[in-house]
Amino acid sequence: MTDDDPGEHRPDTDYRALNRANWDERAAAHAASPDYAVDRFAADPAYLSEVVRFDLPRLGEVAGLRGVHLQCHIGTDTVSLHRLGARMTGLDFSGESLAQARSLAARTGAAVDFVQADVYDAPDVLGAGGFDLVYTGIGALCWLPDVRRWAGVVAALLRPGGRLFLREGHPMLWALDETRADGLLTVEHPYFERAEPLVWEGDGTYVSTEATFTSTTTHEWNHGLGEVVTALLDAGLELTMLREHDSAPWDAVPGRQVRDEHGEWRLADRPWRLPQTYTLQARRR
C-alpha cells in the first residue's frame, strides 16, 4: 500500500463512495473465506466469531439488551451477540455487505435487523436514545474522518445508563510502517487525527481468498487514544474500562508474527513492545 496525494479527494461524498466501493466488492469474498467461518455459524448454533469470543471476558452480560452493531460488515459479530441473548440491529453503509449479513441471519435463523446507512446518520435512521448497548468491532474507526462526531452518534443512540463496547486497532499500530524489510518497527503515519486522509492503494484484502479486486483506493484516518477517550467524555459518557492488548485478530505486521490458540496474532519477538488493539467501555451518564 502506498500513500497518495491526501488533498486531491476532499469532499465527504468522495471518501464514502470510494470506501463503499471497496467494501461492496469484497463482501462476497469475505463471506466465502474460511477466516469469517460463515459455514461454521450455519453448522453450529452455539458458534461465536473469534472476535466476540476474545471479547467475552470483558463484554459482560448482554442477554436481554437492545443492541446496535455499528459498521457491522457481513454480520458475523452481530449474529454472535444475538446468540448471547441481545436483541441486535446491525448497521453498515455497504449494501453488498448487508446482503451477506442477511443471508447469514437467514441461514442461522437469527432475528437480527440489518439497516443500510452511514454511521454518522445512525441516530436519524434508528432513532435516538433507544439502545442499551452500542457495539463497535475492530477495524471500524479508521474509516471515519471525525471521531468527535462518532462519539456524538454513540451518545445519541444510547439510553441513559446504556454502554458502549469498543475493541479497535491501536493508533500506535496504525501509525507503523509494516512493510520494512529490515524488521524495524518505525512510526511512519499519523498517530493523531488529521483532516487529510491517508490514501491507500491495494488490490487485496485481509482474509484468505483467491478473488481479485478492481476497487483499490481507500481513504482512512487514525485517531489517537486520547482523542477517542476525550471525544466520548465530551459527548457525555464516562469511561468504565480501557485495556490495551499486544494482539490483533489479523496479521497486522506480516512476516513477524505468530498466531495463538485463540486466533490472535502477536509479534514473535518481544510482543510487549507493540500495543495492537485496545478495548474500551463507556457508559452514558
Side-chain angles (χ1 to χ4, degrees), residues 95-220:
E96 295 299 323
S97 294
L98 292 181
Q100 297 296 332
R102 293 182 182 116
S103 174
L104 173 64
R107 290 181 64 187
T108 58
V112 177
D113 295 323
F114 288 103
V115 178
Q116 184 175 358
D118 185 87
V119 66
Y120 288 139
D121 298 328
D124 295 330
V125 174
L126 301 177
F131 293 94
D132 306 297
L133 173 71
V134 170
Y135 179 92
T136 295
I138 202 159
L141 296 188
C142 61
W143 303 99
L144 303 178
D146 186 345
V147 76
R148 295 185 67 84
R149 188 178 174 191
W150 167 83
V153 167
V154 171
L157 289 169
L158 287 171
R159 63 166 180 79
R163 62 185 171 102
L164 164 71
F165 186 96
L166 167 71
R167 187 183 180 213
E168 185 51 276
H170 200 286
M172 194 66 248
L173 176 66
W174 298 136
L176 291 184
D177 177 3
E178 79 282 9
T179 65
R180 291 181 65 111
D182 57 14
L184 294 177
L185 299 176
T186 61
V187 176
E188 175 64 24
H189 308 296
Y191 176 91
F192 299 106
E193 181 181 302
R194 295 174 57 83
E196 301 82 8
L198 285 167
V199 181
W200 298 104
E201 291 288 341
D203 58 3
T205 188
Y206 55 85
V207 300
S208 302
T209 180
E210 295 182 358
T212 57
F213 306 104
T214 58
S215 295
T216 59
T217 305
T218 58
H219 286 188
E220 301 176 38

Side-chain angles (χ1 to χ4, degrees), residues 6-149:
E8 184 179 351
H9 305 292
R10 288 305 306 134
D12 283 358
T13 52
D14 192 54
Y15 87 78
R16 288 189 180 99
L18 285 171
N19 291 346
R20 186 184 298 112
N22 180 277
W23 286 104
D24 278 347
E25 188 178 22
R26 286 157 178 76
H30 287 183
S33 172
D35 294 334
Y36 270 102
V38 167
D39 289 340
R40 290 194 66 181
F41 277 95
D44 181 359
Y47 181 76
L48 303 176
S49 69
E50 288 184 344
V51 170
V52 171
R53 274 184 278 139
F54 181 93
D55 292 338
L56 283 176
R58 291 158 291 277
L59 182 60
E61 183 62 58
V62 300
L65 300 185
R66 186 183 180 210
V68 58
H69 179 187
L70 300 181
Q71 298 166 272
C72 67
H73 191 35
I74 64 171
T76 50
D77 298 340
T78 326
V79 168
S80 296
L81 293 168
H82 164 79
R83 288 182 165 180
L84 293 173
R87 295 177 289 122
M88 291 303 299
T89 297
L91 181 139
D92 201 275
F93 73 162
S94 165
E96 295 299 323
S97 294
L98 292 181
Q100 297 296 332
R102 293 182 182 116
S103 174
L104 173 64
R107 290 181 64 187
T108 58
V112 177
D113 295 323
F114 288 103
V115 178
Q116 184 175 358
D118 185 87
V119 66
Y120 288 139
D121 298 328
D124 295 330
V125 174
L126 301 177
F131 293 94
D132 306 297
L133 173 71
V134 170
Y135 179 92
T136 295
I138 202 159
L141 296 188
C142 61
W143 303 99
L144 303 178
D146 186 345
V147 76
R148 295 185 67 84
R149 188 178 174 191

